[in-house]
């Protein structure tokens, strides 16, 4: 199993770079960031510094969207970094949540997401696409490579990932939800004539190593609120008795709204509706042995990478614990 770390690009950027280098020193191979440039700083500027400070780490957004940059701009950003540092980027992408909503946009449609994944990948790898009515190719790309890893929860999104994406990102570490989503992605890939084993599976969730479970839960409760944004959209679309597992939908009944000012932060006041049970299921808490046990369970389901959301008050201690007590047992 590979390991990644997910950070927000809060200023100062040098602190993001420092933590990414520390993560690589602990054995993490992927460095991910949020991509919501009103709430945080522009990640692609910071990626160049992370790549320069690390030796082999692959970097990318978790996740970008079709609606915040022109697709040719997104492709050129990745292609430039790959040309400078040797194909060490990956594009995590979804319909758009905070980056869209804080500027008054709705999430993109799945059809738009499909077209964006195709255009960005083709352009970043040096091939021609048609944008509008205009054939476009980036002429200076030589040997570029960019994998598109799609995030999603709902049945149609999972189908799209299986049919078109190079990887699938599940932002939730619940094994029951992982089994359903991974199975759906693989079945869609199989039906489309693709090799299901060729799709990289990444589970991303907060992890906090320690013994004070009540404190850990309070620090990670924000994640249930973040996931709840997407779940609320699914319930609105499919209903409470729809095809989405109740393990993912039941807990949002008491949800009263969401304030993006505190998005992804431990002190988010919009997450009081998230019970301890959801924190325990969606996140990794407790001592290192508990993390190893959950990760082994996820690995048995076919998870190729676990990406740690590191938004809590013991970031460096958790990085060190993963490097010293966890990563080596999942290699």
């Amino acid at each position: 199993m590979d390991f990644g770390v997910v950070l927000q690009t809060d200023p100062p950027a040098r602190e993001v770079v420092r933590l990414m280098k520390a993560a690589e020193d602990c054995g993490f191979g992927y460095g991910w960031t949020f991509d919501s440039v009103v709430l945080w700083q522009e990640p692609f500027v910071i990626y160049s510094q992370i790549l320069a400070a690390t030796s082999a780490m692959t970097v990318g957004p978790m996740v970008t969207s079709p609606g915040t940059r022109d697709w040719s701009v997104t492709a050129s950003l990745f292609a430039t970094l790959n040309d400078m540092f040797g194909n060490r980027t990956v594009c995590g992408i979804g319909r758009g949540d905070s980056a869209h909503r804080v500027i008054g946009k709705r999430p993109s449609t799945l059809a738009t997401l499909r077209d964006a994944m195709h255009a960005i990948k083709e352009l970043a790898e040096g091939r021609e696409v048609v944008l509008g009515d205009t054939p476009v190719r980036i002429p200076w790309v030589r040997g570029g490579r960019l994998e598109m890893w799609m995030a999603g929860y709902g049945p149609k999104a999972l189908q799209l990932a299986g049919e078109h994406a190079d990887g699938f990102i599940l932002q939730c570490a619940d094994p029951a939800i992982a089994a359903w989503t991974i199975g759906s992605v693989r079945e869609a890939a199989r039906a489309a004539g693709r090799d299901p084993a060729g799709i990289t599976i990444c589970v991303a969730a907060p992890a906090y190593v320690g013994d004070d479970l009540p404190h850990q839960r309070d620090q990670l409760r924000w994640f249930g609120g973040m996931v709840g944004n997407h779940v609320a959209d699914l319930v609105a679309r499919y209903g409470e008795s729809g095809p989405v597992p109740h393990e993912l939908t039941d807990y949002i009944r008491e949800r009263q709204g969401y304030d993006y000012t505190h998005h992804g932060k431990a002190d988010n006041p919009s997450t009081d509706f998230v019970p301890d049970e959801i924190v325990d299921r969606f996140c990794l808490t407790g001592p290192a042995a508990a993390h190893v046990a959950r990760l082994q369970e996820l690995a048995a389901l076919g998870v190729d990478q676990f990406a740690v959301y590191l938004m809590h008050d013991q970031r460096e201690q958790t990085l060190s614990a993963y490097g010293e007590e966890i990563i080596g047992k999942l290699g």
Side-chain angles (χ1 to χ4, degrees):
M1 181 181 281
D2 292 328
F3 286 83
V5 62
V6 190
L7 299 176
Q8 294 169 338
T9 52
D10 290 309
R14 64 178 177 273
E15 180 67 6
V16 179
V17 176
R18 185 189 69 81
L19 281 169
M20 288 295 191
K21 186 178 186 308
E24 184 181 57
D25 292 343
C26 289
F28 289 81
Y30 284 74
W32 302 93
T33 73
F34 282 45
D35 180 15
S36 190
V37 296
V38 171
L39 298 177
W40 302 285
Q41 294 185 328
E42 168 58 57
F44 283 92
V45 177
I46 300 171
Y47 294 156
S48 65
Q49 297 295 307
I50 296 170
L51 289 165
T54 56
S55 60
M57 177 173 273
T58 297
V59 306
M62 188 174 282
V63 294
T64 194
S65 76
T68 49
R69 301 176 187 85
D70 186 270
W71 301 344
S72 65
V73 173
T74 302
S76 184
L77 288 166
F78 281 112
T80 300
L81 292 171
N82 283 338
D83 186 66
M84 292 173 67
F85 297 101
N87 289 333
R88 288 171 55 197
T89 68
V90 59
C91 181
I93 191 168
R95 294 176 58 220
D97 181 37
S98 63
H100 284 214
R101 298 185 200 266
V102 298
I103 59 172
K105 285 188 172 184
R106 294 178 59 81
S108 298
T109 66
L110 288 175
T112 298
L113 177 56
R114 177 198 62 214
D115 293 346
M117 288 197 296
H118 173 75
I120 293 167
K121 180 180 180 71
E122 295 297 292
L123 288 170
E125 295 187 346
R127 293 183 291 275
E128 181 179 289
V129 298
V130 176
L131 297 178
D133 297 322
T134 304
V136 178
R137 184 177 70 86
I138 301 177
W140 46 263
V141 174
R142 297 289 183 275
R145 185 181 71 251
L146 181 66
E147 290 195 352
M148 306 297 295
W149 292 15
M150 181 186 149
Y153 297 97
K156 292 182 180 178
L158 300 175
Q159 180 180 351
L160 179 60
E163 292 173 345
H164 295 282
D166 300 305
F168 166 60
I169 297 171
L170 171 63
Q171 293 163 307
C172 177
D174 184 299
I177 296 169
W180 175 71
T181 55
I182 293 168
S184 298
V185 169
R186 287 177 169 168
E187 180 56 35
R190 195 174 295 111
R194 304 179 70 200
D195 178 7
I199 300 174
T200 303
I201 305 296
C202 174
V203 163
Y208 190 140
V209 180
D211 297 315
D212 188 346
L213 278 174
H215 179 71
Q216 291 178 357
R217 289 167 178 151
D218 285 343
Q219 286 283 300
L220 303 185
R221 205 172 305 278
W222 64 265
F223 186 66
M226 188 181 83
V227 173
N229 292 332
H230 304 287
V231 173
D233 288 344
L234 294 178
V235 171
R237 185 174 300 114
Y238 296 104
E240 292 188 4
S241 59
V244 182
H246 68 87
E247 289 92 344
L248 188 58
T249 60
D250 283 354
Y251 81 100
I252 68 162
R253 289 197 179 100
E254 302 302 320
R255 181 178 182 269
Q256 298 297 321
Y258 191 80
D259 180 1
Y260 280 93
T261 304
H262 306 277
H263 188 57
K265 297 186 183 301
D267 60 351
N268 191 331
S270 303
T271 59
D272 291 345
F273 70 94
V274 179
D276 288 349
E277 177 200 357
I278 289 295
V279 180
D280 293 344
R281 281 174 35 207
F282 285 17
C283 307
L284 272 66
T285 58
H291 292 241
V292 171
R294 175 75 68 85
L295 291 169
Q296 289 172 335
E297 189 174 1
L298 292 170
L301 295 172
V303 174
D304 300 297
Q305 180 184 147
F306 179 63
V308 177
Y309 279 99
L310 207 61
M311 293 90 196
H312 56 68
D313 61 2
Q314 294 288 327
R315 299 190 300 179
E316 298 194 53
Q317 293 88 336
T318 291
L319 281 181
S320 296
Y322 264 71
E324 295 168 6
E325 304 177 70
I326 297 171
I327 290 176
K329 296 181 179 178
L330 276 297

